[in-house]
Amino acid sequence: METETMASNGKVMAGEKPMKYFYYPGCSLKSTGRAYEESLLEVFKALDVDLQEIDDWNCCGATAYMAVDDMKASALAARNLALAEMQSNGDGAQIIAPCSACYLVLLKAQKAIKEKKEKANVLLEAMKNNGLYYTGKAKVRHPLDVLVNDIGLEKIAARTQKPLKGMRIASYYGCQFVRPYSTFDEPYNPQTMDMLMAALGADIVDWPLKTRCCGGTLTGTIEAIGQRLSYILLKEAEKRGADVVATACPLCQFNLECYQDSMNRTFEDNLNLPVAYFTQLMGLAFGISEKTLGFERLFVPLKTKAAV
Amino acid sequence: MRDWLVQQRIKFKMVGGRKSHLVTNWEIQRKMKYEEELDPQFAQDVVKKLGSDNLFGCIQCGTCSATCPVSHHMDYSPRRIIAMTRAGFKDEVMRSFTIWLCASCYSCTVGCPKEIKITELMYTLKQKAIEEKVYPSRFPIPVLAREFARTVRNFGRNHEGLLLLRMFLKTNPFKLFTMSGLGSKLFFKGRLEIMPHTIKGKQQLLNILHAVENGNGNGNHGQ
Amino acid sequence: MSTHQYKNNGDAPRIGVYICHCGMNIASKLNVAELAEYGKILPNVAVSRDYKFMCSDPGQEMIQKDIQEFNLNRIVVASCSPLLHEKTFRQAAADGGLNPFYFQMANIREHVSWVTKDFKEATDKAKALVSAAVRRVAQHQALEKKRVPVHSDVVIVGGGIAGIHAALTIANSGRKVYLIERQPTIGGHMAMFDKTFPTLDCAACILTPKMSAVKNHPNITLWSYSDVTKVEGFTGNFKVKIKRKPRYVIEEHCVGCLLCVDACVFKEPKFDDEFNLGMSKRKPIYLPFPQATPLTVLIDPETCLQLKRGKCKQTCAEVCERRAINFEQKEEEIEVDCGAVILSTGFKPFDAKRVPEYGYGHYNNVYSSLEVERMVNASGPSQGEVVLKDGSKPKSVGIIHCVGSRHAKTNKYCSRVCCMYSLKLAHLVKERTGAEIYNFYIDMRTPGKGYEEFFDKLLKEDVNFIRGRVAEVTNWAMTAKEEGKLIIRVEDTLIGSPRRIPVDMVILSVGLEAQADADEVRRMFGISCSKDGWFTERHPKLAPVSTMTDGIFLAGACQGPKDIPDTVAQAGAAAAEALALVDKGFVELEPDTAFIKEELCCGCRTCIGMCPYSAISPNLEKGVAVVNEALCKGCGTCVAACPSGAASQNLFTDEQIFEEIEGVLTYA
């Protein structure tokens, strides 16, 4: 369907294959991070990029499984790589993994299979005996990497209908998609999201905490520590005049947004800072309706006066 | 306000576990370590499981502890965990809160001048602690990890609601009351799945997990 | 040597094999006794022995005695690298009355005992190498070394303190020196410093007299603002091509009165002053700094209106009564002959932007150490005052050690000088501002005369020392007292607790790196670099200023990070080595040169084009190629390229190589 639209719009150059990626949502994008999925799919559709969800994907293992068993954690991730490669008919699938934990875990498995022979042998053998194969052709990508490096900021800027003029955005990268395996951005001072948001017309807040940990699962387990980390981030963003914090991870978004009431109680404060997925903000700039982008799922509504 | 935040103290009180370092303990303890109290094999075991001996190259510069966002809550800084692991202080390392407090943000790993995979080291130590069952009994972090593994085995995917429910039941059931407000809010915003989704290839997945456990030889026992 | 008559001991090879234990270096890793026994069964071997140290006097005497006793005419020693002792053993053979080229070395240390872990595998590998050497040496022929006279002048590349000291040493001995410097002035990094550690001597007071001594020395020709573009020849007989960049000022006329600078149409200095690292401004016509040597102004073609647009009132030229300004000046090329070259090209400071977590270039008051060196210098951009960007004095200063050093992502090595210069800067900044100073270090490295005492002095000067590598510098305040400050996050590893230290100013003690063009320079001079880009010395202990190319010597930080005392010591050593070479009057050339078998040469000239040293020329009369042995470096390119097999090389004939290969392959 989409390919037809593209061809008729003449946006795709003659002879060029339409852009197609596999899509690995991960568990959170089907529940707490639903707005991430909704906005991500809308944005890629608007850019004429086809996303095909990997059929029957399973949990990547996330950080929690790593604490239990390294080998099994890799096996969980590896099955998804194999599914993508097989569903692409061995064509060399590019898998977009929007959740930071999924991105890191899948990338880690991809690297391990390539670099650690012994481990790879056990994994590949186990998969082979269960009808799966993975030759290393399926590669894991982060949506930001694809947006900035494959699609390009120029095309994104051209697609922008309602620039985010006057909106002050604090880009929050968090940890796991810039560290330690990612190669498309700098681990201490990443720039891709800032560049993307600037291309949409927004103002970028200079915010030294953009890669500092939000607390991860600690927010749910040892609240006092986890929420403190999130609170520090939000407080500094607020102090530097951010209208909204842009995130690229369902857990970061959840931690930073959903616990704001609880933080206000603990730290006797009055935080009310919107935390949106960067894809939601892109969608806004593309002129897509807020409802379609899942804005109504946010606890802290975006102050749209800045957006329009 | 900010000053207050800095002064704020966080106390862990573990039921049946030991008290945190913030609780004053006036009992005078022996600090001397005798060689026979140490485990000379410990470092080698960890290195083998970790798959890298870089930790022997540690120069104790403290970048890991300085860059770590939670190190100020840890009983031993990550740097000291490395030194203690290397020297065979197995008991102290395995019973430390440090390994559980690691939020896997990988700051230490990218900052380390000697390319020690510190986050992976923490995972390795967590795995060892679960294997040897030396973590505090109702400490939520290892419980979460185990319950996570169980959920994934049951359905092939994670179910956030179910996972948290199980974790709080096993650690602090009272917490469920305070969490219920957040839960219902998520539900009304359409951010909570009611029923867990079971994947078609669940048996295939279980077979693979079983196979790598055997293939691994010393695969551990998550249950 | 050519007059010496060597005995032949008959035509049939009679080989002596000597296995060296190298103390425990070899003996503990493979079975030396078994190896010596194995030597006995190899073809043509008359005697085979093992001994603790073959390179020692008794070891060499053993060879000489055996030559007499067993009538040997070939020697094989299995020991270390030929790099270390080939000369030693050739001499031993010669002292025993043999032609020294009836000798072959098997390297069973670097190639076997140091790298092969398994005892049996190591023994087997050593046997194969000994077998190869024995088969090869049977094919060796007597060769003669040729003597070539040497040129007595010396070229020195790089006019920092190393080049200056070497130049003066050689010039004082009566030899002529050409000192070539890339910048418009000599002096190097040392000229930028205010004080030197640990004595706190004023750098200018000890350096500038030496700079003017260079300028005034009758035996030194100083070419500043010049680059070496080409080097040809060989030890004792180099030809060095030098490009002199135009200053647009005639050096011989200019007296450095600076009237032209005052007269420039730019009334105010407007352009970044390189010498002050952009912290002050200069005009298009300028003198790098007041004590610049030569004391000659120059014009920057990028900013001068006349040179850039061809349109200017030329007020500078007008005011110069000595008519020194010449906008028409062109690049000049000069060629000099010399017998030896000393490279003293120095280092470049690490670019602190490569460690983004320290905020250099992002936060205003994060400085590199070299910038602070300029700042504390009385003739620097702030006249010796240490000030923040807004002009105020800092109340607290953090000095971060090891920036760019001891880190896998930047440079793994320790830069050696940073601890000491950080201590010096701590002292100077404290003296100038009274600020609270924090030094953040991983390990305090103060090995040098008076260095530890200097550290001790600082400890008592109320300077704070925190042992820990800083993770980040930000402007993220957590408390009221942190507002408006730069926050340094570090683990105080001696206390075991993470700390946040708010400061007004951060100084990054950047490490030393090889020059950006070190690789180009190394290629030009035919020497080698370590993977970090430092020029490699011939031997780290026994030949620290020589290189693999005879006649090229190293001085100062181009060989590795070092401080001023070590640099000067090394410059003296390099000068002595260069003098030893040029004063000898001649060099002996290795006979491993190529030659053309005229009867096989078809005159195709393939080799002539291939030779990297232009050592081959055609003999038009005979229609064959001829190798100039003095120019040939024995690289073997022509031998490999020759389509008719006419080109061959001494010590690497086909027979010798094939026998060597057979020797390895037939080992059983």
Side-chain angles (χ1 to χ4, degrees), chain A residues 27-28 30-35 53-59 61-73 75-76 79 83 104 108 116 122-123 126-127 129-132 175-176 178-181 187-188 211-213 215-225 228-229 231-232 235-236 239 250 253-254 257-259 261 265-269 277 296-299, chain B residues 1-2 4-6 8 10 12 49-51 63 67-70 72-73 100-107 109-112 117 120 123-124 126-128 130 139-141 144-146 148-150 152-153 156-160 164 167-168 175 178-179 182 185-186 189-193 197-205 207-209 211-213 215-216 219-222:
Chain A
C27 307
S28 297
K30 296 293 179 190
S31 57
T32 50
R34 187 160 283 161
E53 185 169 327
I54 299 173
D55 185 39
D56 205 41
W57 56 269
N58 59 268
C59 169
T63 50
Y65 215 112
M66 273 305 294
V68 178
D69 188 313
D70 176 64
M71 203 61 194
K72 288 190 199 169
L76 284 173
R79 179 174 177 269
L83 287 179
L104 173 119
K108 186 172 168 180
K116 296 185 177 168
V122 177
L123 285 176
M127 291 207 291
N129 294 336
N130 288 285
L132 294 170
C175 47
Q176 298 193 339
V178 281
R179 291 189 298 260
Y181 300 113
Y188 279 109
T211 62
R212 205 181 148 82
C213 179
T217 50
L218 286 177
T219 321
T221 48
I222 303 183
E223 264 177 42
I225 297 179
R228 184 176 184 271
L229 294 177
Y231 175 70
I232 288 169
K235 199 63 201 163
E236 193 64 19
K239 186 182 156 201
Q253 200 280 339
F254 186 78
E257 193 200 29
C258 300
Y259 288 109
D261 283 350
R265 277 196 301 277
T266 314
F267 301 107
E268 294 163 359
D269 205 340
Y277 294 104
E296 62 180 20
R297 301 194 192 278
L298 298 187
F299 284 20
Chain B
M1 203 292 305
R2 275 159 183 272
W4 178 83
L5 178 67
V6 171
Q8 192 223 0
I10 289 151
F12 315 118
K49 218 169 153 77
L50 183 63
T63 308
T67 196
C68 176
V70 274
H72 51 295
H73 296 307
W100 299 109
L101 290 187
C102 169
S104 316
C105 83
Y106 290 90
S107 289
T109 303
V110 298
C112 177
K117 294 180 173 163
E120 304 298 328
Y123 279 134
T124 302
K126 283 183 223 187
Q127 289 163 17
K128 251 182 126 49
I130 289 185
F139 196 46
I141 300 168
L144 178 82
R146 289 185 48 187
F148 183 89
R150 192 173 137 200
V152 173
R153 268 198 310 275
R157 287 188 192 167
N158 180 28
H159 183 271
E160 285 158 341
L164 290 178
M167 183 190 82
F168 287 127
K175 194 78 204 286
T178 55
M179 293 298 285
L182 178 61
K185 211 167 167 187
L186 283 170
K189 291 279 184 186
R191 291 171 70 167
L192 205 58
E193 265 187 315
H197 175 93
T198 307
I199 62 167
K200 290 178 275 174
K202 185 183 142 188
Q203 195 51 47
Q204 181 188 46
L205 183 64
N207 289 347
I208 294 174
L209 289 180
V212 297
E213 183 168 20
N216 200 10
N220 73 73
H221 337 283

Side-chain angles (χ1 to χ4, degrees), chain B:
Chain B
M1 203 292 305
R2 275 159 183 272
D3 294 42
W4 178 83
L5 178 67
V6 171
Q7 285 156 16
Q8 192 223 0
R9 294 197 160 189
I10 289 151
K11 294 184 182 176
F12 315 118
K13 276 198 177 154
M14 307 316 309
V15 185
R18 47 172 222 168
K19 288 172 182 170
S20 101
H21 64 296
L22 289 170
V23 180
T24 319
N25 185 353
W26 286 102
E27 193 189 334
I28 294 171
Q29 289 178 333
R30 165 165 69 85
K31 275 294 180 190
M32 161 73 98
K33 269 283 171 191
Y34 294 94
E35 278 305 287
E36 56 262 44
E37 293 175 307
L38 304 178
D39 181 347
Q41 235 350 85
F42 184 52
Q44 294 299 340
D45 291 350
V46 170
V47 159
K48 201 173 160 220
K49 218 169 153 77
L50 183 63
S52 157
D53 63 355
N54 275 10
L55 78 97
F56 291 120
C58 175
I59 53 171
Q60 291 285 300
C61 69
T63 308
C64 45
S65 316
T67 196
C68 176
V70 274
S71 60
H72 51 295
H73 296 307
M74 290 173 169
D75 42 359
Y76 302 108
S77 69
R79 172 188 60 83
R80 291 184 68 190
I81 290 288
I82 295 174
M84 284 160 44
T85 303
R86 210 159 54 170
F89 284 60
K90 184 178 176 182
D91 276 352
E92 285 80 355
V93 171
M94 300 289 275
R95 289 170 196 281
S96 72
F97 284 105
T98 300
I99 60 177
W100 299 109
L101 290 187
C102 169
S104 316
C105 83
Y106 290 90
S107 289
C108 50
T109 303
V110 298
C112 177
K114 304 296 269 186
E115 298 185 314
I116 303 169
K117 294 180 173 163
I118 302 156
T119 313
E120 304 298 328
L121 170 67
M122 296 297 170
Y123 279 134
T124 302
L125 294 170
K126 283 183 223 187
Q127 289 163 17
K128 251 182 126 49
I130 289 185
E131 241 174 72
E132 300 183 15
K133 297 199 163 66
V134 288
Y135 56 89
S137 61
R138 311 196 82 169
F139 196 46
I141 300 168
V143 174
L144 178 82
R146 289 185 48 187
E147 288 306 318
F148 183 89
R150 192 173 137 200
T151 316
V152 173
R153 268 198 310 275
N154 287 349
F155 307 107
R157 287 188 192 167
N158 180 28
H159 183 271
E160 285 158 341
L162 195 60
L163 174 65
L164 290 178
L165 182 73
R166 281 174 171 173
M167 183 190 82
F168 287 127
L169 281 175
K170 291 209 168 179
T171 55
N172 185 0
F174 183 70
K175 194 78 204 286
L176 283 172
F177 293 104
T178 55
M179 293 298 285
S180 61
L182 178 61
S184 58
K185 211 167 167 187
L186 283 170
F187 177 72
F188 286 115
K189 291 279 184 186
R191 291 171 70 167
L192 205 58
E193 265 187 315
I194 301 300
M195 289 305 293
H197 175 93
T198 307
I199 62 167
K200 290 178 275 174
K202 185 183 142 188
Q203 195 51 47
Q204 181 188 46
L205 183 64
L206 287 176
N207 289 347
I208 294 174
L209 289 180
H210 186 67
V212 297
E213 183 168 20
N214 292 341
N216 200 10
N218 56 355
N220 73 73
H221 337 283
Q223 218 149 5

Side-chain angles (χ1 to χ4, degrees), chain C residues 22-319:
Chain C
C22 196
M24 294 304 282
N25 268 314
I26 295 171
S28 68
K29 299 284 182 181
L30 54 90
N31 192 337
V32 281
E34 188 185 322
L35 193 56
E37 282 306 307
Y38 171 76
K40 288 178 187 165
I41 62 164
L42 291 171
N44 302 318
V45 172
V47 58
S48 176
R49 307 176 188 276
D50 61 289
Y51 185 65
K52 198 159 271 182
F53 290 106
M54 281 311 298
C55 58
S56 66
D57 275 352
Q60 296 186 47
E61 278 160 20
M62 182 195 291
I63 295 175
Q64 288 153 21
K65 221 173 111 231
D66 283 356
I67 292 173
Q68 305 302 329
E69 203 168 305
F70 295 92
N71 222 19
L72 301 179
N73 59 11
R74 303 283 197 281
I75 303 295
V76 166
V77 176
S79 57
C80 52
S81 163
L83 217 59
L84 201 61
H85 279 311
E86 189 173 58
K87 263 188 188 156
T88 315
F89 295 123
R90 277 184 180 165
Q91 192 55 45
D95 292 346
L98 289 185
N99 181 292
F101 295 95
Y102 280 139
F103 165 77
Q104 178 65 20
M105 204 160 172
N107 184 350
I108 58 166
R109 192 179 75 173
E110 281 84 341
H111 289 179
V112 183
S113 72
W114 280 359
V115 290
T116 310
K117 279 189 183 154
D118 183 80
F119 194 81
K120 172 147 194 330
E121 274 178 20
T123 310
D124 284 350
K125 192 171 168 190
K127 282 181 184 174
L129 293 179
V130 169
S131 162
V134 165
R135 294 279 293 258
R136 182 191 220 278
V137 81
Q139 298 296 324
H140 276 202
Q141 280 143 9
L143 297 168
E144 295 296 332
K145 284 188 174 180
K146 287 214 164 46
R147 276 188 183 187
V148 182
V150 301
H151 200 286
S152 66
D153 297 350
V154 177
V155 162
I156 298 178
V157 187
I161 181 60
I164 290 171
H165 186 78
L168 287 171
T169 309
I170 294 171
N172 286 340
S173 81
R175 296 295 180 188
K176 187 145 181 41
V177 175
Y178 298 97
L179 179 59
I180 299 151
E181 166 60 46
R182 165 154 59 185
Q183 299 296 330
T185 170
I186 56 169
H189 284 104
M190 187 176 170
M192 301 170 89
F193 305 157
D194 180 51
K195 299 266 175 77
T196 55
F197 61 76
T199 47
L200 297 175
D201 281 318
C202 154
C205 312
I206 53 179
L207 177 67
T208 47
K210 292 191 86 148
M211 286 163 64
S212 46
V214 164
K215 183 65 198 157
N216 299 326
H217 205 294
N219 286 338
I220 300 179
T221 305
L222 168 59
W223 284 321
S224 64
Y225 213 40
S226 304
D227 290 319
V228 175
T229 55
K230 199 173 178 188
V231 182
E232 286 177 326
F234 55 97
T235 177
N237 294 273
F238 294 107
K239 272 190 195 309
V240 180
K241 248 190 202 146
I242 297 139
K243 179 178 82 186
R244 303 210 62 201
K245 293 173 273 192
R247 306 171 83 103
Y248 305 103
V249 172
I250 300 160
E251 209 175 311
E252 297 72 28
H253 293 185
C254 178
V255 290
C257 70
L258 303 185
L259 284 175
C260 51
V261 178
D262 292 337
C264 176
V265 290
F266 284 95
K267 288 286 165 257
E268 293 301 323
K270 210 183 143 189
F271 307 101
D272 278 356
D273 179 344
E274 294 86 354
F275 193 76
N276 282 330
L277 305 162
M279 291 190 293
S280 68
K281 303 289 174 193
R282 61 157 172 81
K283 294 183 178 182
I285 185 163
Y286 66 104
L287 188 68
F289 66 103
Q291 293 81 30
T293 306
L295 196 63
T296 309
V297 296
L298 72 156
I299 304 177
D300 171 16
E302 296 299 312
T303 52
C304 167
L305 294 179
Q306 178 61 33
L307 290 169
K308 209 175 160 199
R309 302 190 203 150
K311 247 172 98 178
C312 181
K313 283 191 276 182
Q314 304 188 12
T315 41
C316 56
E318 234 165 66
V319 79

